[in-house]
Every structure is written in C-alpha cells, then in structure tokens.
Amino acid sequence: MKETFAVITGASQGLGKSFAQELAQKKINLILISLPNEGLSDLCKNFQEQFGIRAVHYETDLSTQENVLTLANWINENYAVKILINNAGVGGTKKFDEASSAYIEKIIQINVMATTLLTHQLLANLKKQDKSYILNVSSLAAFSPIGYKTVYPASKAFIHSFSRGLYQELKATNVFVSVVNPGPMKTNEDTTKRIEGQGFLASMTALKPEKVAKYCIQQLEKRDTVIMVNRFSWLCLRILPIWIKLPMLTNKIKKELTITP
C-alpha cells in the first residue's frame, strides 16, 4: 500500500507546527510547507528521529498563484495525500487608507487564493484514498466585521463559507471537510505583541496552539464539521447584534495601532 501524507501549510511555527507535532505523534507522515529559511529542514529531521515517520518539506511563498500551482504539482506527482490542513494565513492591524496595496493583496492571496487553489488542486489526490480529510483554519473574526482589520475578517468569513459549502458538496464522497474558528493565539512574536496590546484580559484568554491543534485533530477524527475551540466567545459573537459588537471589537483592536509597525 502506498504511503499517505498530511500536508500542512504555515507549518514552521505556531498552530501549523503544533498540527505537525500532533500528527507526527500519531505516526502520520508529513509534508510541511512554509516560507524559506524558517527551519523546516531541522523540524522534519526531528520528527523523523523522534517518531519514526517520513517528513518532507517545501519552501515557497503562497501569496503567488504560480507558486501554489507548482507546489500542488510537486505533491501530486510524488505523494498520496490523506490530510490537507490549510493553516497558512496572515493578518495585521492598520488603518485601511494607510495600508499599502501590497499589504491588502497579501492577505487576500494567502488567506483566500492559496487555501482555495491548493484545495482544488489536491482534491483529486485526496479522493484516491479510502478516507481523507480537509481542515481549513478560519477564525472567530469570521463572525463579525472589525474596523482596522477590515480585509482579514472578510477573508476568514470566506474560508468559513467556502469550507461549509465544500463539505456539503463532498458529503457523499470519501473526503471529509471541516473548518476551525479559533480565537486569538500567541503563534509568533508579532501576534503576541498585538494580543498583549489589547490588555490583560486578552493576554490571559489567548489560546495555546498546542491545545488547539490537539483538540482540532480529535474533532476531525470525530467528523466535526465546524470546530469551535472557544464556544463562549463564539456564542457572544453570534448573539450580540452588529451595532454592539462592531464598535466594541473595533475599539478593542484600535489599541493595536500603537504597537503595530
């Protein structure tokens, strides 16, 4: 039987790295993807030595469509994919009229284009396995617009809607689709600074990537279509009317402007 692999984008740090760790512990082979020079080679070696699995890596910038297509071709030509985790994403906090076009384009290209296109290109591969899984990483931000982020929540709302629609379309096939909507996580130095800039409560309630990853994989195995890590926050966002939550969240996020470069 041909070996199968889990593909994880944004795998060098934060939630992506925690996903890789969790799957490696379950003896699942890995294809790890991130930007160049982020230590993927050493990470793969560590997983192979510690867990006795196969772990390969691919370094590329997913904000370019050509790079996504090249990556997908490389995977399809060489590996059988059982799990696809679209984790790579980018955000930030800026006044919309002060954001550069490159800044806006990067959010859309990575969060929307890369996730959608890579899923499309790997779907035939996933369908060849007995059972396969797609997990897309959205955000609680998908459930409300937010000033000073504007494009990011919209991109995550797209991911949530895309995932739910694809789940329904593939429901009768061997490919199961799920989406996770985690809250703030201290995934890297920049994100940690932004969370801490929102105050003590935000810092204390920030999620730990390793716990989120463990819970997500558990729920994916249980075929949970929408994974909610923080149900209380999700419920608040669903219940609160837009005229309350929009200014409330915007004022909270505005504090990040003083510490965001």
Side-chain angles (χ1 to χ4, degrees), residues 246-258:
L246 178 53
M248 181 182 70
L249 291 172
T250 298
N251 289 332
K252 181 180 179 183
I253 293 300
K254 189 177 182 180
K255 296 178 182 178
E256 294 183 10
L257 292 174
T258 59

Side-chain angles (χ1 to χ4, degrees), residues 5-40:
F5 287 76
V7 175
I8 306 172
T9 65
S12 63
Q13 60 184 339
L15 184 57
K17 184 177 179 179
S18 296
F19 276 133
Q21 175 84 21
E22 188 66 26
L23 292 176
Q25 291 175 347
K26 293 179 175 291
K27 304 298 182 181
I28 296 174
N29 299 318
L30 302 172
I31 301 172
L32 305 184
I33 302 158
S34 80
L35 289 166
N37 304 314
E38 293 196 345
L40 278 189

Side-chain angles (χ1 to χ4, degrees), residues 49-70:
E49 293 172 0
Q50 187 175 359
F51 301 108
I53 62 165
R54 287 189 64 194
V56 298
H57 68 282
Y58 191 102
E59 299 177 336
T60 191
D61 182 356
L62 294 176
S63 67
T64 303
Q65 179 178 324
E66 182 180 354
N67 291 349
V68 177
L69 292 174
T70 301

Side-chain angles (χ1 to χ4, degrees), residues 156-171:
K156 290 303 184 178
F158 173 93
I159 293 303
H160 185 84
S161 178
F162 165 70
S163 302
R164 299 297 290 131
L166 190 61
Y167 157 77
Q168 191 65 34
E169 185 174 329
L170 299 176
K171 191 174 181 180

Side-chain angles (χ1 to χ4, degrees), residues 59-102:
E59 299 177 336
T60 191
D61 182 356
L62 294 176
S63 67
T64 303
Q65 179 178 324
E66 182 180 354
N67 291 349
V68 177
L69 292 174
T70 301
L71 165 65
N73 287 336
W74 174 76
I75 293 173
N76 286 330
E77 289 175 0
N78 295 284
Y79 303 100
V81 179
K82 183 180 181 65
I83 300 173
L84 169 61
I85 300 181
N86 286 303
N87 167 75
V90 64
T93 305
K94 288 183 183 291
K95 294 180 179 179
F96 186 70
D97 59 353
E98 294 179 359
S100 66
S101 59

Side-chain angles (χ1 to χ4, degrees), residues 117-167:
L117 192 56
L118 188 60
T119 301
H120 177 264
Q121 295 295 300
L122 296 185
L123 187 54
N125 192 328
L126 287 156
K127 283 186 173 182
K128 293 178 182 178
Q129 320 316 322
D130 291 336
K131 289 183 180 179
S132 57
Y133 303 86
I134 297 171
L135 175 61
N136 293 327
V137 178
S138 180
S139 169
L140 282 178
F143 300 106
S144 177
I146 307 172
Y148 303 109
K149 282 190 176 292
T150 57
V151 181
Y152 175 77
S155 72
K156 290 303 184 178
F158 173 93
I159 293 303
H160 185 84
S161 178
F162 165 70
S163 302
R164 299 297 290 131
L166 190 61
Y167 157 77

